Amino acid sequence: REGWRKLALGAIEHDWFYFQAQPVIAVADGAISYRELFVGIEREGVCYGAGQFMPFVEQFGLGGKLDRYVLERIAGLGSLNDLPIMVNLSDDGLADSSFLLWLKDHLTESRHRGVQLVMEVSEEMAVRHPDALASLFAHCRKLGVKSGIDRFGHYFDQLSNLAALEPD
C-alpha cells in the first residue's frame, strides 16, 4: 500500500501521468458529445491504469490532490477536437471545502480561456455530499459547464434528491 501511495505522490510531483480520451457517443444521433478523460501512470517503462492505483489514492485521501493536478494539466490542452473534456471528480475533492472553492475559481478561469469541461461524479458521491454537489452543479450551470452523475441507479430512494441537483 505504501508503494502505491509513493507512486501516486511521485506521479503528481514529477508529472508521470499520461492521459487518454474516449469519445462519449449520443444514443439519439450517434454524434460524439464529449471525450471522457482517463489517467494512468507511466514509470520506468511500466504503465499503471487508474484501476490499479485509484483505490490507494482514495484510501490515503489523495483524491482532491489528484483532481487538482489533472484539472491544472488539462487546462493547457483546451478541448479535444473542439469537444468538451469530461473529468470524474473524487470523493476526497467533494469532501474538501477548500478544494471546492478552488474548483469553482478554476472552472471560471478555464471557461474564460475557452476550455470546455464536463464535471462528473458517481451517484454514491452525490448521495454522500448533496450540499457540496448542489453548490458545485449550480456554479457549473451559471458558467454553462455541463455536469453529470455516473454509475447511476443504485439509490432509487434518492431519485428526487438527485433530480434536484439538475445534472445535465
Side-chain angles (χ1 to χ4, degrees):
R1 292 184 327 186
E2 181 62 19
W4 285 111
R5 185 185 74 78
K6 286 181 179 178
L7 180 66
L9 286 171
I12 292 169
E13 183 179 334
H14 301 292
D15 203 28
W16 298 335
F17 283 99
Y18 63 90
F19 300 103
Q20 294 178 309
Q22 174 181 315
V24 176
I25 312 281
V27 175
D29 61 6
I32 299 175
S33 299
Y34 53 86
R35 297 190 187 273
E36 182 169 5
L37 192 70
F38 294 95
V39 299
I41 297 173
E42 184 175 356
R43 178 74 176 127
E44 298 176 351
V46 179
C47 292
Y48 304 95
Q52 293 175 279
F53 62 83
M54 280 307 293
F56 300 99
V57 165
E58 292 168 1
Q59 179 181 8
F60 289 107
L62 302 173
K65 189 172 190 158
L66 179 58
D67 288 349
R68 186 173 178 152
Y69 166 85
V70 168
L71 288 162
E72 286 176 338
R73 276 288 314 279
I74 64 173
L77 297 177
S79 299
L80 301 175
N81 299 327
D82 295 325
L83 291 170
I85 302 168
M86 193 278 292
V87 177
N88 286 292
L89 297 175
S90 71
D91 190 62
D92 292 337
L94 285 179
D96 181 351
S97 60
S98 64
F99 171 78
L100 288 171
L101 288 172
W102 173 86
L103 177 58
K104 288 177 182 179
D105 288 342
H106 181 77
L107 290 172
T108 302
E109 291 170 19
S110 296
R111 197 70 181 159
H112 290 303
R113 290 191 310 242
V115 178
Q116 299 177 60
L117 294 172
V118 177
M119 298 288 100
E120 190 170 78
V121 300
S122 72
E123 179 186 35
E124 183 176 340
M125 289 176 7
V127 169
R128 199 169 23 243
H129 307 287
D131 294 336
L133 202 55
S135 175
L136 177 61
F137 278 13
H139 186 74
C140 286
R141 277 191 301 282
K142 182 175 80 175
L143 295 174
V145 173
K146 301 277 187 201
S147 60
I149 299 176
D150 195 15
R151 295 183 294 241
F152 180 81
H154 299 282
Y155 296 90
F156 287 113
D157 60 325
Q158 296 289 322
L159 283 177
S160 63
N161 296 336
L162 295 172
L165 295 172
E166 301 181 46
D168 294 295

